[in-house]
Amino acid sequence: MVYLQELEEKIEALRVKMYEAYNKNPSGQEVLQISQTLDKAINQLEQQKRQQ
């Protein structure tokens, strides 16, 4: 359960970081990189939830 909470916190932090990067440069490479990391974290969370 702690792992799920950590993943949720990581996801929220990545969302904030992505929005900040988007506000600086919407078409920047940083937005894409953060988005990909965020997608992986969301997939991990969903996988963990299914395993419970």
Side-chain angles (χ1 to χ4, degrees), residues 1-13 41 45:
M1 193 67 171
V2 172
Y3 182 67
L4 290 179
Q5 185 176 354
E6 289 174 1
L7 268 175
E8 289 171 350
E9 290 171 3
K10 178 181 178 179
I11 289 167
E12 187 57 33
L45 179 65

Side-chain angles (χ1 to χ4, degrees), residues 4 7 11 40-52:
L4 290 179
L7 268 175
I11 289 167
K40 288 177 186 176
I42 291 170
N43 288 337
Q44 286 177 339
L45 179 65
E46 291 302 316
Q47 184 178 23
Q48 289 297 317
K49 286 183 176 181
R50 276 188 250 120
Q51 290 178 359
Q52 285 187 343

Side-chain angles (χ1 to χ4, degrees), residues 1 19 22 25-27 49 51:
M1 193 67 171
Y19 291 137
Y22 178 82
N25 183 4
S27 60
K49 286 183 176 181
Q51 290 178 359

